[in-house]
Amino acid sequence: MDIFSILQLLSGLALFLYGMNTMGDGLEKFSGGKLEKTLEKMTNNTFKGFLLGAAVTAVIQSSSATTVMVVGFVNSGIMKLRQAIGIIMGANVGTTVTAWILSLSGIEGDSVFMQLLKPTSFSAVFAFIGIILIMFTKSDSKKNLASILLGFAILMFGMDSMSSAVAPLSDDPNFANLLTVFNNPVFGIIAGALLTAIIQSSSASVGILQALSKTGAITYSMAIPIVMGQNIGTCVTALISCIGAKKNAKRAALVHLYFNIIGTLVICALFYGSNLIFQYGFLDDVVAEANIAVIHTAFNIAATAMLLPFTRQLEKLACLTIKDTEEESETPFLDERFLNTPSLATDRALNVTEKMARLSEGTLLGALEMVGNYNEKAADTLSENEDTIDMYEDVISTYLVKLSQKNLSENDSKSVQRVLHGIGDFERISDHAMNIVGAAKEIEEKKAVFSEGAMAGLNVMMDAIKEIINNATLAFINNDVKLAAKVEPLEQVIDRIRDKLKEAHVKRLTNGECTIELGFIFSDLITSMERVSDHCSNIAVGVIEINNNGYDAHEYLHELKNSDDIQYNADYKEYKKKYALPASALVKK
């Protein structure tokens, strides 16, 4: 085997890995991330978790990716450790699908039908269809289908290149002598584990073994321990991903490792122990690509069947390894492990933003309740909420900047834009809520009492603010354009209420019915509430404009207010009537 064969082998491996990655990404995007998202909704049924883990891995073609996602779920508190175990076991079985796909290249037969089944026959057709779809279609789903087809074609071309590169080894006595080392199960397991740990893909390392099997120099006695070792090596990716994670996430990664190590040790003991008695003659037979797929599948199914009833014991073993030593923060956060699955990362960002939006709304409503009814303990809670909301804004914005650099679908891109435009307004709403708390505290400390008319006007404005924050929050969370359209007419009514209350306030000052000190507090309250409505308007306009594939809030509002929009005018009249100020709130000359 000369230098050119080595270069061909390396280029084949590069194409193989790239094709696998491209095909996996395409499959993931084609499914819309739905399979991955269902992992979040898992019950405590371990068998269902196993089935789902196998299905997801079969689709995205990577047990490592599935396991890393599960580690992220556990780290984020979305999933309990016990739920994760079944999924991890399923991922080990799901990853065997790749070996079966690769084994198609070993199909033999002279009939047209058998020849058509060979990847070398149809991968060229797949590649041609894929490139046509990429060049001449704009549909995301068709482009994702193209990625699947092209990825498969590149993968199979890489596999064929590797097989061609190692073909001369079949006549090389040095290579045959080297392989005899792997007849020792220990060396075979170590070799399989190291190779998989380096390239971080058990599917790829199995593919390499299948390519080598074409030399006719690989026997069952060599292949079996190498395949076992490959399952151990694939745990490296999850172990690396759990660095810096919470203790339960580390335990999930350890469960993956323990599952494969225990499975390997037990099956090795049973298989080689029984071989001493029955002397399996097939161990010296040459193994084919399909045979390696059988070994890979049989091992993973056997290990799962053996250990699935002992999930509690695996959980305890992981907990004994990593003990509860210190308290960890329960503050929700966004795990960067999900960034490699953009649809899932977007979904997680939306979930966390929903919590921020509801917390901001709750903080504002709590602040409004404080007017005339101040409570120091409640004020401290609201202040803590405001600090948490600030933290949410920082975490979400940083995460979304990283996520926006990924290849997002059109819907995910719109969701990211909507969140980026909304989080700043929700943060500012919490700031204004604290201004309202400050005014309420001043009222309490100074034993100030508003006139009956002033208080009646404030109550009307507070009711309108409660409705507009509810509409804006729900419109944002549910991406509801119709509800968002109701925010701007109510915002205009709130502006009108503010103007009338200010006018009445000036008249009370002129008539000597109100002190300047009370006037400052009153003015602060209505100003803070009006600014809240402005931010609600920003949130609603963001929902509307982003769904309309644009974002120009100023132009949208200008056109809306200067057009004869029937629905807008109807909503404005309805809110104007609903939040009409009582006569007592208005001061006559």
Side-chain angles (χ1 to χ4, degrees):
M1 189 173 182
D2 57 20
I3 184 65
F4 298 105
S5 295
I6 294 172
L7 290 175
Q8 184 182 351
L9 175 64
L10 293 175
S11 65
L13 177 60
L15 288 171
F16 180 88
L17 293 172
Y18 178 75
M20 181 174 290
N21 185 63
T22 302
M23 184 172 69
D25 286 346
L27 285 163
E28 180 185 310
K29 290 176 183 176
F30 194 72
S31 72
K34 293 177 182 177
L35 280 173
E36 294 94 325
K37 290 174 186 176
T38 58
L39 290 174
E40 293 184 66
K41 302 170 184 176
M42 279 306 304
T43 65
N44 286 320
N45 188 311
T46 305
F47 185 68
K48 286 182 180 179
F50 162 75
L51 293 176
L52 187 57
V56 171
T57 306
V59 169
I60 66 175
Q61 296 285 297
S62 174
S63 62
S64 297
T66 303
T67 307
V68 168
M69 273 192 289
V70 169
V71 169
F73 286 137
V74 175
N75 195 43
S76 301
I78 302 167
M79 183 182 292
K80 294 180 180 178
L81 178 60
R82 189 168 300 171
Q83 292 173 285
I85 296 174
I87 298 172
I88 290 169
M89 291 181 177
N92 271 35
V93 173
T95 195
T96 62
V97 170
T98 309
W100 286 106
I101 294 173
L102 296 176
S103 69
L104 292 174
S105 62
I107 291 176
E108 296 180 358
D110 296 328
S111 68
V112 175
F113 177 74
M114 294 301 290
Q115 288 298 315
L116 285 174
L117 286 178
K118 298 186 72 171
T120 50
S121 302
F122 61 77
S123 60
V125 178
F126 282 5
F128 185 75
I129 295 172
I131 199 65
I132 291 295
L133 290 174
I134 284 179
M135 292 176 67
F136 300 106
T137 62
K138 294 183 179 179
S139 167
D140 281 346
S141 61
K142 289 179 181 177
K143 286 186 180 295
N144 291 333
L145 177 60
S147 293
I148 297 169
L149 298 176
L150 280 171
F152 180 81
I154 294 169
L155 180 151
M156 294 312 304
F157 184 79
M159 181 72 175
D160 191 55
S161 294
M162 286 193 294
S163 299
S164 299
V166 299
L169 294 175
S170 58
D171 300 321
D172 190 336
N174 293 323
F175 178 67
N177 292 332
L178 176 65
L179 288 179
T180 57
V181 174
F182 300 120
N183 282 316
N184 184 314
V186 175
F187 289 132
I189 290 170
I190 292 173
L194 286 176
L195 175 63
T196 309
I198 291 169
I199 62 177
Q200 294 195 29
S201 171
S202 61
S203 296
S205 62
V206 169
I208 293 170
L209 183 62
Q210 287 176 305
L212 287 171
S213 71
K214 289 191 173 183
T215 63
I218 306 295
T219 63
Y220 280 95
S221 62
M222 302 171 191
I224 290 172
I226 290 174
V227 169
M228 291 181 182
Q230 286 166 340
N231 281 275
I232 295 174
T234 196
C235 300
V236 168
T237 308
L239 291 171
I240 292 172
S241 78
C242 77
I243 294 173
K246 296 180 181 179
K247 57 180 179 293
N248 270 340
K250 293 176 181 177
R251 289 167 179 167
L254 280 177
V255 164
H256 189 212
L257 178 64
Y258 289 152
F259 168 75
N260 283 297
I261 289 177
I262 293 171
T264 298
L265 291 175
V266 173
I267 291 174
C268 270
L270 292 174
F271 180 79
Y272 289 106
S274 60
N275 181 50
L276 294 174
I277 301 172
F278 301 107
Q279 293 292 313
Y280 300 131
F282 67 86
L283 289 176
D284 294 325
D285 293 343
V286 173
V287 69
E289 291 154 290
N291 301 135
I292 291 173
V294 170
I295 295 168
H296 194 210
T297 304
F299 170 77
N300 281 291
I301 290 177
T304 301
M306 178 177 63
L307 292 174
L308 195 60
F310 299 100
T311 54
R312 289 180 183 273
Q313 285 72 21
L314 282 172
E315 181 184 11
K316 287 180 180 179
L317 180 59
C319 290
L320 285 172
T321 308
I322 298 178
K323 298 179 181 179
D324 294 314
T325 54
E326 56 183 29
E327 291 294 321
E328 294 180 333
S329 172
E330 295 300 322
T331 304
F333 70 103
L334 287 163
D335 200 314
E336 293 191 9
R337 291 168 184 81
F338 299 139
L339 290 174
N340 291 326
T341 311
S343 59
L344 190 60
T346 303
D347 191 57
R348 290 302 311 140
L350 286 171
N351 288 343
V352 174
T353 306
E354 178 180 341
K355 293 178 182 178
M356 176 189 179
R358 292 195 182 280
L359 186 60
S360 181
E361 179 187 16
T363 301
L364 176 65
L365 296 177
L368 294 174
E369 293 298 321
M370 302 276 277
V371 178
N373 187 33
Y374 182 78
N375 179 283
E376 190 68 36
K377 187 175 181 180
D380 290 341
T381 300
L382 295 178
S383 179
E384 290 173 3
N385 288 352
E386 200 275 331
D387 290 338
T388 302
I389 291 166
D390 288 343
M391 180 274 294
Y392 269 120
E393 185 190 23
D394 290 340
V395 169
I396 294 169
S397 59
T398 301
Y399 191 78
L400 291 185
V401 168
K402 295 177 181 178
L403 178 57
S404 62
Q405 297 170 2
K406 302 292 183 178
N407 186 12
L408 301 174
S409 67
E410 184 179 351
N411 286 336
D412 288 342
S413 181
K414 285 183 178 181
S415 295
V416 169
Q417 290 180 58
R418 179 160 53 89
V419 172
L420 281 172
H421 282 294
I423 55 176
D425 288 298
F426 281 115
E427 190 278 329
R428 291 296 294 145
I429 286 171
S430 70
D431 289 341
H432 291 305
M434 294 314 299
N435 291 340
I436 294 171
V437 171
K441 183 176 182 179
E442 194 173 355
I443 292 171
E444 175 70 18
E445 289 176 344
K446 295 179 178 178
K447 304 300 179 184
V449 179
F450 290 123
S451 66
E452 182 181 343
M455 201 65 225
L458 277 176
N459 285 332
V460 171
M461 191 171 188
M462 285 193 288
D463 287 341
I465 290 295
K466 289 175 183 178
E467 179 164 353
I468 198 171
I469 185 64
N470 181 64
N471 287 351
T473 302
L474 287 178
F476 179 84
I477 290 171
N478 300 323
N479 198 25
D480 189 333
V481 174
K482 289 184 178 179
L483 185 57
K486 289 184 172 293
V487 172
E488 186 55 32
L490 180 52
E491 194 275 334
Q492 291 299 302
V493 169
I494 290 171
D495 283 350
R496 183 174 179 274
I497 293 172
R498 176 206 56 190
D499 293 340
K500 287 188 171 294
L501 290 181
K502 278 191 174 182
E503 182 183 346
H505 163 61
V506 171
K507 289 177 182 178
R508 280 193 294 271
L509 281 174
T510 304
N511 297 338
E513 299 173 9
C514 179
T515 65
I516 292 178
E517 190 174 41
L518 266 179
F520 280 132
I521 299 173
F522 185 82
S523 180
D524 287 344
L525 281 171
I526 60 174
T527 298
S528 293
M529 286 191 281
E530 188 276 331
R531 287 176 180 169
V532 166
S533 72
D534 288 341
H535 289 293
C536 289
S537 172
N538 292 341
I539 292 165
V541 170
V543 171
I544 294 168
E545 284 290 87
I546 290 169
N547 275 281
N548 291 333
N549 298 314
Y551 191 84
D552 191 333
H554 179 76
E555 182 180 350
Y556 168 79
L557 292 175
H558 177 75
E559 291 179 357
L560 182 64
K561 293 171 185 175
N562 290 280
S563 66
D564 191 23
D565 190 294
I566 297 173
Q567 188 60 52
Y568 172 83
N569 291 329
D571 289 336
Y572 178 79
K573 289 178 182 178
E574 180 185 342
Y575 286 129
K576 183 179 175 182
K577 180 179 179 181
K578 182 176 181 179
Y579 295 110
L581 290 169
S584 61
L586 305 174
V587 180
K588 296 180 180 180
K589 291 183 180 179

